[in-house]
Every structure is written in C-alpha cells, then in structure tokens.
C-alpha cells in the first residue's frame, strides 16, 4: 500500500490490500480455467471467427457504458467502411472509429516486455486515440484536466469527487505509474495487477472525458501482455451486462479506503465467467469436429441415410443454432433443398431416427435443434 499527500485533495491511497482467502480462491479458479483454455487446440479458422467477434462486441460494450448507441454488428459495419443505419449521431460513430484504432494500437504493445512496464506516454496515447477529434466539454486529447469533475450517483453508491487541480493529477499519475511498475505490483498475479490499474486510474480520473474507456483498455493491455487470451476483450462485455454492479463495486471500494476486495471480487467473477464461456465455446468447436467424424462413421455403417447426414451437416455449418420445425424442412431454405421432393412421412421418419440416436433434440413447441453432445451417450 502506498499513501500520497496531495496539494489540495488530501491523502490519496494506492491500495493492494484485500481479503486474501476470499480473493485467492477466485484466483485459483480463474487460473485453472485459463490453463485449461491454453491447453485446448485452436484452429486458425476458429480464431478468425472468434477474434473479430470479441473485438466488435468489446468496443460496443465499453462505448455503451458511456452512452454510445452502436451495437456490435454496427461496429463491424463501421470498421468495414459502411455507414450504420440512421439513428446514430456523428459523435457516436466517431467514438467507435476511435476505439477501433485504440484497440488495434494496444495489439502492438501486448507482447514485450513481460510483465509490461507502461508509462504516462502509453496512457496519453490511448486517450488521444479515444478522444481524437471529439468535442467533449473542456477535453484536449492526451492532456490532463485542471478542474472539478464528479463521478457516480446516489443510485450506485454515491458521488465521488476525484482530485481537481492539475498539480495533484500530475503528481498522482507519476505515483500511479511508479507503483504499477514496482516489484510489489509486478509480482502480483496479473489478474490482480490489471484490476488495480483499472480501479486506481479511475480514482485519479485524470482527463475530462474518456477515463472509463482508458481504464478498461489499460486493464486489457496488462492482461494481453501476460498472454491472457479472450478475457481482455470479454471483460468489457461483462461490465456492460452488470453495469449497476460495476459502479457499486467502485463505490464500495472507495468507501472501504484500505481494502480493494469489493472491486477485485467483482472483477475476478467477470474473469471467471468470461473464461468459462470461452472454454464452453472452444469445447463446442471441438465437438463439431468430433461429430463430423461420428457422422461419417454412422453413414459408413448405414445407421443414418445420406439425406439425414446432409441435414446434420447443414446444422453443423449453421453458426446461428436457430431451431427448425418439420414444416421448415419442406418449405424453408436451406432444408428444402433436401426435403422438397420427399413426403412428410419420410421427413418425420428422418427426424424420428435422429432423435432416437440423440443427434437432435426437440422442445415443447416441436422445434428441433442439433445436439452436439448426442454422440457422448
């Protein structure tokens, strides 16, 4: 822990004190999941599907926390040079364009050195990327503020007033950088170090605008530099989905003063949730490969027909996972390519066989879905 006496704002505390048993239990779970994911094989085509999806959803989420209206699909459109449908302001679109540039900028910083030693230059450059050409009140890209701001509200644990004069902010940012690069913090688990960077940068709140986005990017940068995959981008989605708890975790930690357990606990639950989601997703990719092999075995042994195999292959190729009905088989593409020339009775027999082999499931509305776990039983 580090205490700094400011010129005007009183004592500022850089705190790394937390409930060790409580947090270490979560760290063990997060580390175990991270190791499990690291050991799973990732084909290039899977990465080419996952990585852009995570990038666009992360950008949409971190911007939405600050009130931006574009969703992940519209972020992708903007990145591809298309203009999303009307209803978004030029400011919203520019915020997203800037974030795309900022996320790609941190990719160039993520590998060396490990652990990452970062500087005020890194932070100011991220802020420039995020706020370039945007007319936020008083904000100058890459320049610290000199004046009062208020953060939070009563609904989320109360209002917080960060240090307001530039002399305090400049001093605290120097102390923040020194502390984050100290042996004490570098020897912390990377999940803890990244969360502490996120929290304390937000406390200082050095810019007029864009502080939340910079804080989340700093956290992502530290995690990426340690070789953590997926989580750096997925955490913004977690924060957005649980935005009320996100603000409360800040407020509770501010009130605790010398205990960062509330924010660390909230953060680590997000890490664990993100890792579990990705573990399940990669496992499903592997199951798709295994099922394709299993279908080849079933066709070779005449346990299913070629048409039944083609239907299952269509479902394996459909990443949406949308369920279908008996009627869809003969009337909706792509299923009708297989079933428009056969009778309804034949279609029913196909579905019955695939249900009995647990390759399909059916719900109470008679909608069928692929069962990726069917060949386990």
């Amino acid at each position: 822990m580090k205490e700094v006496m400011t010129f005007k704002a009183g004592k500022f505390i850089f705190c790394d004190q937390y409930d060790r048993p409580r947090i270490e239990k979560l760290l063990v779970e997060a580390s175990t999941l991270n190791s499990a994911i690291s050991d799973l094989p990732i084909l290039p085509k899977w990465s080419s599907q996952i990585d852009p999806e995570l990038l666009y959803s992360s950008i949409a989420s971190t911007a939405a926390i600050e009130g931006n209206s574009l969703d992940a699909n519209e972020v992708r459109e903007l990145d591809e040079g298309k203009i999303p449908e009307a209803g978004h302001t030029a400011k919203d679109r520019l915020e997203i364009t800037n974030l795309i540039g900022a996320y790609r900028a941190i990719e160039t910083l993520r590998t060396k050195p490990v652990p990452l030693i970062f500087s005020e230059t890194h932070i100011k450059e991220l802020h420039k990327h995020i706020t370039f050409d945007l007319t936020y009140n008083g904000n100058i890209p890459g320049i610290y503020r000199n004046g009062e701001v208020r953060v939070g509200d009563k609904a989320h644990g109360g209002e917080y007033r960060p240090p307001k004069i530039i002399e305090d902010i400049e001093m605290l940012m120097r102390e923040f950088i020194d502390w984050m690069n100290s042996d004490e913090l570098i020897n912390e688990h990377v999940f803890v170090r990244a969360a502490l960077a996120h929290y304390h940068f937000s406390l200082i709140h050095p810019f007029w605008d864009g502080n939340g986005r910079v804080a989340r990017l700093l956290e992502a940068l530290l995690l990426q530099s340690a070789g953590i995959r997926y989580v750096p981008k997925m955490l913004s989605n977690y924060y957005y989905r649980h935005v009320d708890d996100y603000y409360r975790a800040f407020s509770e930690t501010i009130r605790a003063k010398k205990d960062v357990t509330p924010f660390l606990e909230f953060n680590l639950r997000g890490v664990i949730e993100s890792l579990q989601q990705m573990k399940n997703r990669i496992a499903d990719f592997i199951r798709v490969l295994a099922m394709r092999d299993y279908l080849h075995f079933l066709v070779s042994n005449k346990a299913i027909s070629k048409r039944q195999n083609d239907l299952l292959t269509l479902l394996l190729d459909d990443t949406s996972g949308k369920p279908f009905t008996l009627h869809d088989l003969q009337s909706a593409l792509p299923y009708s390519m297989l079933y428009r020339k056969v009778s309804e009775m034949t279609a029913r027999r196909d579905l019955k066989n695939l249900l009995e082999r647990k390759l399909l499931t059916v719900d109470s509305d008679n909608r069928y879905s692929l069962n990726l776990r069917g060949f386990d039983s």
Side-chain angles (χ1 to χ4, degrees), residues 6 42 128 140 148 169 172 178 206 225 228 232 254 285 287 296 344 347-348:
T6 64
I42 307 293
K128 286 179 184 178
I140 301 173
E148 184 177 27
I169 291 168
L172 289 174
D178 288 346
S225 73
I228 307 297
I254 289 169
F285 279 133
R287 286 178 182 280
H296 178 74
E344 182 180 312
R348 286 184 183 277

Side-chain angles (χ1 to χ4, degrees), residues 212-230:
R213 282 162 284 172
V214 172
R216 292 185 287 275
L217 276 167
L218 280 178
E219 179 179 64
L221 176 58
L222 285 166
L223 293 172
Q224 285 182 173
S225 73
I228 307 297
R229 297 194 65 184
Y230 311 119

